Amino acid sequence: MFGALRRCPASLMRNLSSATLSSRALRATVSQSSPAVRRTATWVPNVAIAAFHQSATWRQVAAAEVEVDQQLGSDGPITQFKELATHGLVHPNVINTITRQMRLETMTEVQTRTINEALSGSDVIAQAKTGTGKTLGFLVPVVQKIINEDPRLGERARGYKKARPDDIRAIVISPTRELAEQIAVEARKITSGTSVVVQVAVGGTQKRMMLAKTQREGCHLLIATPGRLLDILSDEYSGVKAPRLNSLVMDEADRLLDDGFSKEIEEIKNYLPDPAEVDRQTLMFSATVPREVVDLVRRTLKPGFHYARCVDEDEQPTHERVPQRVVQLAGFENTMPALYELTKREIQARQAGSPFKAIIYFNSTAEVTLAASVFFKLSGGFRRNTPLSNTRCYEIHSKLSQGQRTKASDSFRFADSAILFSSDVTARGMDFPNVTHVIQVGLPRDRDSYIHRLGRTARAGKEGEGWLFLSPAEEHEVRRRLRQLPLLQDSSLETATVDMAAEGEMPENVAKLLEEVVNAHKKVYPEHLDNAFRGLFGAYQWYGDKRGLLEMANRLAQFGWGMDTPPPPPSSLLSRMGGVGRGRSSGGFGVRPGGRGRVVGRSGGGDRMGGRFGDRRGDSRDSFGGRDRSGAFGGRGGDFNDRRGGGGFERGPGRPTNFY
DNA sequence: GAGACGG
């Protein structure tokens, strides 16, 4: 059936290629054709052509495709791995490994669609949520294509496993090193019964070692990150060439095509053979396909590409299915106390046999490092019998060595109960089993980023929940950036809204918790504090009110970290604010910290915070009992009883009616 | 002065 695609009549192709077709006209064209044409067009890769028409959205195209499929009475795609071998579509040695060693029988939806389509030779862009087996979806057809070119590679003949270094037939590009390694593990598995040679090229490893290995063993399938790939392709002396490349896979394609990567990707293409001379199949995979990517895709993929929108209409995507709560913080300084309160509570609530496995995302690497160190102190280091002593803390971001990154990622992957403090390195594609919580501190750069991070939990049919901690700086931006997401306001964390500058009374348990957290900050390396402080201004560069930002940051340093004098902000910030003098006398640079009309920063004692919280005794919640505070002290029972929001959030645990 | 991607 799929071979028939190549024989798709030229006349039909021409019709479908006409950029003036709407999806409706396209359907009509197909359904009015003769039975023979209709049959050959069963999987009409060219339905996607309709996307060339400006009025056709991806959704319409996908709908048209399904409809055409139904109308034409397709005998349906192959859904069992075994059948791929019995129909002679994929080499039995590959399929046997999948069915016997990996114990997979039925393909997932994304696998069904992409494998069938890609084997037919058309370009594919596949949209599927994470954790649905996208990797096999492109590895199977890519490996098969390699075997097609040289059938001897299907066998595991001794001696034949020697490929030449310039034999690269397929390249898979991934935005992060860890994801590339994860893909390579799968690739080596499915090629273990064949003579196909897999190599990995990622940064942070020894380039010479990798090149020597490639010289020695050769390479058919190369899995790489953009930087290193460009590095070795452009290295005339000792690099690699791919004159016979005929498959290119972009995993997390939307990420690869956006600002940060697109330039490198373009450059990489300059080193690859001209598609006009060497026919090349391109496969793009992504969990989200934002509108801006569409134009790029049109230019990148061959006309007649296939769009596999493997998002089940009936099944809710992760970001609609997973419960998500928003914690509105009184200030930056409330972040760590609230995180600590939340994790402690969740760990205690889960003790018996159900582990707590969380990823906490931050927007700068320095914040990741700081939070991880503080939590390490809070968990009592390596001491036993603390609330967090059975929960290991790990840290991962791009500023660590590759060795540290790999260790953290593997440790967390196999951990039962643990917290991973992370930057966006792990936001996409990474498969950590059984993550129960994804906590995002600060507003992510965009909506997709939020969704990808959230996608680390509730995978493979498991439960999970999302949390978003927001500072006052983000109150307005969140409505713009995270529209239409079921974010439910949560006010169950007492430390989230408490005024940490308040000299007034506060409940003993809250005071104690704050003291613990502030003291932990005093035990970490001072440069961690300085770096995180500076990092904030980068992470919040979108925030217009620089003055207000500095004021909030100063409060963080004073009341959250117990510093007498906030660290200096980046000098560029001061020039941006304009007209603000520098000076340490006010207890900070540029802006006097404090706000809320309270006089602060007078006491000179080094242990001021400790003293304050230490002296606080006696439950005096009444003094806090003023208006609007009630929710914060309502105990754990009433989760959704917020009354501050003003926006009117859903109260009950049911489906939220109010969206940002 | 962010994040990811080569040293």
Side-chain angles (χ1 to χ4, degrees), chain A residues 81-82 85 90-104 189-190 192-193:
Chain A
F81 280 109
K82 213 166 65 184
V90 178
H91 198 286
N93 285 355
V94 175
I95 295 301
N96 282 343
T97 308
I98 292 174
T99 55
R100 291 183 193 160
Q101 286 180 29
M102 301 166 76
R103 304 198 169 277
L104 297 172
K189 264 191 219 160
I190 72 162
S192 61

Side-chain angles (χ1 to χ4, degrees), chain A residues 139 179-190 198 200 223:
Chain A
L139 285 178
L179 188 51
E181 296 286 1
Q182 194 176 284
I183 295 166
V185 169
E186 293 273 290
R188 291 207 181 92
K189 264 191 219 160
I190 72 162
V198 178
V200 188
I223 296 158

Side-chain angles (χ1 to χ4, degrees), chain A residues 451-503:
Chain A
I451 291 170
H452 280 283
R453 287 166 163 191
L454 186 68
R456 297 316 100 204
T457 189
R459 294 166 79 84
K462 300 272 172 45
E463 302 273 304
E465 55 190 89
W467 289 76
L468 178 61
F469 282 32
L470 295 179
S471 71
E474 291 145 320
E475 254 170 317
H476 299 290
E477 180 68 6
V478 65
R479 289 182 161 74
R480 197 180 67 79
R481 227 180 268 187
L482 301 182
R483 279 194 295 269
Q484 297 293 310
L485 284 165
L487 304 175
L488 211 49
Q489 196 88 344
D490 182 284
S491 59
S492 64
L493 298 172
E494 299 182 57
T495 53
T497 47
V498 81
D499 183 351
M500 290 181 63
E503 300 280 351

Side-chain angles (χ1 to χ4, degrees), chain A residues 5 26 431 487 499 508 543 545-546 646:
Chain A
L5 282 177
L26 180 71
D431 194 23
L487 304 175
D499 183 351
E508 187 180 10
Y543 190 66
D545 179 10
K546 301 297 175 195

